[in-house]
Amino acid sequence: MTERLPSTSDPLPEGETAGCDTSDILLVHRIFRWGFREMPRLVRAAPPGDRSRTATVADSVDLVLLGLHVHHEAEDLLLFGKVEARRPACAATIDLMRDQHRHVAELLGRAEPLSAAWRDSADGRAAERLAAALDEIGTVLGVHLHDEEDDVIPVAAEEFSQREWDALGEHGRESFPKDGMPIQLGLMMDALPPAERAEWSRGHLPFPIRLLWAILLKRRYTAWQRELFPEGMPALV
Ligand SMILES: [Fe+2]
């Protein structure tokens, strides 16, 4: 969490115009809602003592926890200060967002060692402690995402240039481990209704990434899905 800076001004960079497409954040939020619904279920379903299954599920739990940390870091650094500076009437809302992020960060700080303890022990009680911590994050996060979507994202859509908005997504991509990229990209695709996927990837992904997805990343994503959800992955939409 970054310290709050004086919100005197944070003007739009010269040559850029206000107004942007913020729809990508709704996909990211959909992934987190799904993640905090499915991960506790997978943790509880892992047979106690099965170290291999525990490691598989713990890897994905850790990825979701890291993903949320990175996503909130991007908003702390690149979203809240600008919204507050450009729309002073939103100051109380932004204070609330920062409080909610602090609360989520506290809960993430508790869940991470619980995941490590479960991975080390493959113990049923350790699994339940982790699953309960994930449930709690899901509950707190559900309220936060709803508030953010209602009260912050529409303001950013009016006040940010497209380049400023895209910097949030870039932060997420750059701060995430490269071997998590197939999962990150695959979940984004799955967060869209099937009929919209091709058009979304043409409009949002540079050609080299689309090519990489087709020849390599999609296969890795499918392998991850099959390993984590042998009975089929529950849909995101
Ligand atoms: Fe947020």
Side-chain angles (χ1 to χ4, degrees), residues 24-147:
D24 55 351
I25 204 168
L26 301 180
L27 302 182
V28 174
H29 285 184
R30 200 171 285 162
I31 292 169
F32 286 125
R33 287 184 174 103
W34 174 88
F36 285 96
R37 195 168 62 234
E38 294 305 326
M39 292 303 134
R41 199 178 61 71
L42 291 179
V43 170
R44 289 189 173 104
D50 186 338
R51 287 182 176 275
S52 162
R53 178 65 187 166
T54 299
T56 297
V57 176
D59 282 348
S60 292
V61 167
D62 289 349
L63 217 53
V64 172
L65 296 175
L66 176 66
L68 182 57
H69 172 77
V70 164
H71 175 64
H72 276 189
E73 188 177 68
E75 292 177 341
D76 290 339
L77 291 169
L78 301 167
L79 176 64
F80 295 156
K82 278 189 178 60
V83 168
E84 192 179 33
R86 293 179 194 173
R87 198 71 72 83
C90 290
T93 300
I94 296 300
D95 281 346
L96 175 67
M97 294 299 111
R98 289 180 168 129
D99 280 349
Q100 291 174 336
H101 272 206
R102 263 191 289 271
H103 190 185
V104 170
E106 236 177 78
L107 297 175
L108 284 173
R110 265 184 247 161
E112 284 154 1
L114 292 176
S115 176
W118 180 50
R119 184 195 289 276
D120 286 349
S121 66
D123 171 69
R125 278 163 307 180
E128 182 48 43
R129 277 193 288 274
L130 172 61
L134 296 172
D135 281 340
E136 193 178 355
I137 296 176
T139 303
V140 171
L141 188 67
V143 174
H144 168 63
L145 297 180
H146 180 271
D147 290 347

Side-chain angles (χ1 to χ4, degrees), residues 105-212:
E106 236 177 78
L107 297 175
L108 284 173
R110 265 184 247 161
E112 284 154 1
L114 292 176
S115 176
W118 180 50
R119 184 195 289 276
D120 286 349
S121 66
D123 171 69
R125 278 163 307 180
E128 182 48 43
R129 277 193 288 274
L130 172 61
L134 296 172
D135 281 340
E136 193 178 355
I137 296 176
T139 303
V140 171
L141 188 67
V143 174
H144 168 63
L145 297 180
H146 180 271
D147 290 347
E148 196 171 78
E149 287 168 7
D150 273 9
D151 300 329
V152 178
I153 307 305
V155 178
E158 291 176 7
E159 300 284 353
F160 279 44
S161 70
Q162 194 64 53
R163 191 200 55 79
E164 288 179 310
W165 178 262
D166 291 343
L168 272 107
E170 273 153 37
H171 178 93
R173 281 188 291 280
E174 280 163 15
S175 312
F176 206 65
K178 291 290 161 269
D179 59 359
M181 193 181 173
I183 300 169
Q184 197 180 24
L185 201 52
L187 288 174
M188 288 291 276
M189 302 271 197
D190 278 348
L192 284 157
E196 294 173 23
R197 285 174 196 161
E199 197 188 326
W200 181 85
S201 62
R202 274 195 300 275
H204 289 82
L205 303 176
F207 177 72
I209 300 286
R210 295 206 306 272
L211 187 64
L212 199 60

Side-chain angles (χ1 to χ4, degrees), residues 182-183 185-187 190 213-214 216-230 232-233:
I183 300 169
L185 201 52
L187 288 174
D190 278 348
W213 169 255
L216 178 70
L217 303 181
K218 188 173 184 196
R219 217 173 328 134
R220 291 199 179 155
Y221 175 62
T222 306
W224 171 80
Q225 284 179 306
R226 288 207 181 116
E227 191 184 20
L228 194 61
F229 299 98
M233 188 173 108

